Amino acid sequence: SSLTSYTWFHNRKTFNAFPVTSYGHAAEVNGAYWDEANKTYPIKYIPNVSASWDPSPRTCPTDVFDDSGYPFGPTFSSTPQQWKSALQSVKTFMDRTCDPDWCMLTINAWNEWSESAYIEPDTVDQYARLNAIRDVFAAGK
C-alpha cells in the first residue's frame, strides 16, 4: 500500500498568490509536505514533483478568470534550473526515507500540455528537464 498525489495542485498550500505563485514557494511547501505525509499516514508516501501548473487553456476565453477552483485558479511554472533544484530536493528526501528495496516518485507530467504540466522536450527548453532528471538521479552511475 502507498499514497501519493498527481500534482502539487492537490496541495492547496502550494498557492500563496493569484494568479501566479512562485515556483520556489510551491517547491518549498511541497517539500515540507513530503515529510509531513511520511509521518502522518500509516502507509508509504510516494513524493510528487511538478514542473508547472496552468489549466487555464481548458477554460473558455470569455469566462472570468478568478480563483474559483479548477480549471480556474493560481498557476506556477519553473525554469529548468528550478526544476532541477526540486528534483535534488526530492532525491534528498528519498535518500533519507526510502526502503532500500522499494522507492519511487511521481512526476507531473510527461505531456499534459493543456495544463502546462510537461517535461517533454519543447522548442524553448528542449531537453533541459529530461537532462535534469538524468543529472540528479543517474549521477555517478
Side-chain angles (χ1 to χ4, degrees), residues 7-25:
T7 175
W8 288 351
F9 173 78
H10 295 144
N11 179 354
R12 291 304 288 177
K13 293 178 184 175
T14 295
F15 304 105
N16 67 347
F18 178 84
V20 177
T21 290
S22 76
Y23 189 80
H25 174 80

Side-chain angles (χ1 to χ4, degrees), residues 13-92:
K13 293 178 184 175
T14 295
F15 304 105
N16 67 347
F18 178 84
V20 177
T21 290
S22 76
Y23 189 80
H25 174 80
E28 181 180 330
V29 165
N30 282 278
Y33 179 73
W34 302 331
D35 282 315
E36 178 185 330
N38 215 32
K39 293 173 187 167
T40 301
Y41 300 107
I43 58 176
K44 182 74 175 165
Y45 179 71
I46 301 169
N48 169 270
V49 182
S50 298
S52 308
W53 181 260
D54 179 1
S56 63
R58 292 188 174 193
T59 64
C60 178
T62 58
D63 287 346
V64 174
F65 187 77
D66 60 6
D67 193 4
S68 59
Y70 187 89
F72 302 94
T75 66
F76 62 83
S77 64
S78 65
T79 65
Q81 186 52 45
Q82 289 172 314
W83 168 245
K84 186 174 184 177
S85 178
L87 292 170
Q88 290 166 328
S89 293
V90 78
K91 183 172 186 316
T92 298

